[in-house]
């Protein structure tokens, strides 16, 4: 509802920042996810779940956290839009590779490339297109309902996570023990990775903030859908890392936003 065509063409305005952000998210994050899934003592299903999460694009929540952290919101929206388009094609490749590595002969299921691309496109691109159309043709209506839709989406995410945890209630405590630390590590190290790459590329502070958040906050809802949807993997246990990550990212994202907003006045004082 808040996207415009400009958000996709803005890559021409921030080419360096967009390239840095996309590479950090679509290349650096899956490599990090693979390293952590290999390092931590996870079951094959949970290891694949971590990789599903690492393969997903940044979620809309990243745009809100970037705003709260006084980052470059336009860049954040652009990265979310661009990565959402690209990951339609990269997710099945990364997930199938992960299933082959972590599950081996046990990987009786895989994501068919064409069918998965179509289904992820339905989940992501069609709703985006509808929202953009409403924003273009009915801007006042879109502005009025956007805030309510954001809260509704958070409520639905909460229901999805609750339903998933209830479904896996017999093993949920064990899952928390197994993947709580690895998902928290993925979140924190991904944010540090994004921040470090942005600084190495000599981007300005608002752009570095946007990339940090975008790399660190993934679309957990999409990851849950890919893992548990009957028409995709239909393996609810693989969705557990994304469910726990989705809970943790609000705390870490809020903490980063608080740190970033406190740091900005201090920098201004030092410069003055």
């Amino acid at each position: 509802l808040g996207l415009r065509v400009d958000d996709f063409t803005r890559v021409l305005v921030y080419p360096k920042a967009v390239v840095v952000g996309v590479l950090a998210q679509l290349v650096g994050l899956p490599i990090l996810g693979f390293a952590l899934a290999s390092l931590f003592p996870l079951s094959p299903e949970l290891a694949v779940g971590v990789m599903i999460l690492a393969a997903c694009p940044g979620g809309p929540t990243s745009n809100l956290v970037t705003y709260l952290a006084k980052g470059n919101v336009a860049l954040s929206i652009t990265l979310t839009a661009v990565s959402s388009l690209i990951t339609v094609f990269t997710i099945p490749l990364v997930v199938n590779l992960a299933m082959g590595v972590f599950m081996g002969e046990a990987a009786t299921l895989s994501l068919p490339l064409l069918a998965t691309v179509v289904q992820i496109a339905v989940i992501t691109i069609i709703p985006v297109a509808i929202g953009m159309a409403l924003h273009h043709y009915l801007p006042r209506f879109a502005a009025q309902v956007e805030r309510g839709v954001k809260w509704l989406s958070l409520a639905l995410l909460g229901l999805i996570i609750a339903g998933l945890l209830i479904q896996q209630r017999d093993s949920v405590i064990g899952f928390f023990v197994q993947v709580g630390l690895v998902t928290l590590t993925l979140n924190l190290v991904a944010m540090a990775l994004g921040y470090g790459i942005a600084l190495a590329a000599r981007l300005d502070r608002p752009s570095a903030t946007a990339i940090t958040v975008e790399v660190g906050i993934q679309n957990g809802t999409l990851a849950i859908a890919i893992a548990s949807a009957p028409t995709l993997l239909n393996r609810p246990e693989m969705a557990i890392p994304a469910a726990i990550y989705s809970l943790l990212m609000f705390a870490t994202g809020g903490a980063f936003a608080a740190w970033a907003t406190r740091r900005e006045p201090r920098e201004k004082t030092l410069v003055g």
Side-chain angles (χ1 to χ4, degrees), residues 10-246:
R10 199 176 284 117
V11 63
L12 302 176
V13 181
Y14 306 112
K16 182 179 179 180
V18 172
V19 170
V20 169
V22 168
L23 288 177
Q25 187 168 37
L26 301 187
V27 178
L29 193 55
I31 292 174
L32 173 62
F34 180 80
L36 294 178
S38 302
L39 180 63
F40 281 79
L42 301 176
S43 67
E45 291 79 10
L46 293 179
V48 172
V50 170
M51 289 304 300
I52 294 173
L53 179 63
C56 283
T61 305
S62 64
N63 308 146
L64 174 61
V65 174
T66 298
Y67 170 76
L68 295 175
K70 297 183 178 180
N72 187 333
V73 178
L75 174 60
S76 176
I77 293 172
T78 301
L79 288 172
T80 298
V82 172
S83 64
S84 295
L85 289 178
I86 297 175
T87 52
V88 168
F89 304 97
T90 59
I91 286 173
L93 299 176
V94 172
V95 174
N96 284 337
L97 178 61
M99 293 185 73
V101 170
F102 292 110
M103 301 184 71
E105 295 180 357
T108 56
L109 293 175
S110 62
L111 287 173
L113 181 61
L114 182 58
T116 303
V117 166
V118 172
Q119 290 184 63
I120 295 176
V122 169
I123 294 172
T124 56
I125 295 178
I126 291 179
V128 167
I130 293 172
M132 290 177 66
L134 288 173
H135 181 90
H136 180 74
Y137 293 106
L138 299 170
R140 185 172 299 178
F141 171 77
Q144 288 175 343
V145 301
E146 182 179 2
R147 184 182 298 273
V149 170
K150 284 182 178 179
W151 287 111
L152 177 62
S153 68
L154 289 176
L156 289 175
L157 174 59
L159 288 175
I160 291 170
I161 294 173
L164 182 62
L165 295 180
I166 291 172
Q167 184 182 15
Q168 302 290 323
R169 58 186 176 276
D170 294 336
S171 307
V172 69
I173 295 178
F175 283 146
F176 265 100
V177 172
Q178 288 187 68
V179 301
L181 183 57
V182 67
T183 52
L184 178 61
T185 303
L186 176 66
N187 181 229
L188 295 177
V189 176
M191 294 180 77
L193 174 69
Y195 191 72
I197 292 176
L199 290 183
R202 298 184 178 181
L203 299 179
D204 58 75
R205 190 205 61 82
S207 296
T209 298
I211 291 175
T212 300
V213 175
E214 197 68 24
V215 176
I217 295 185
Q218 300 304 100
N219 192 333
T221 312
L222 178 59
I224 292 171
I226 292 170
S228 58
T231 54
L232 291 172
L233 287 175
N234 195 24
R235 300 288 291 268
E237 67 274 19
M238 291 183 179
I240 292 296
I244 295 175
Y245 181 95
S246 296

Side-chain angles (χ1 to χ4, degrees), residues 243-264:
I244 295 175
Y245 181 95
S246 296
L247 296 174
L248 295 173
M249 71 181 186
F250 290 105
T252 56
F256 175 77
W259 173 80
T261 51
R262 284 199 304 267
R263 182 169 175 264
E264 184 183 27

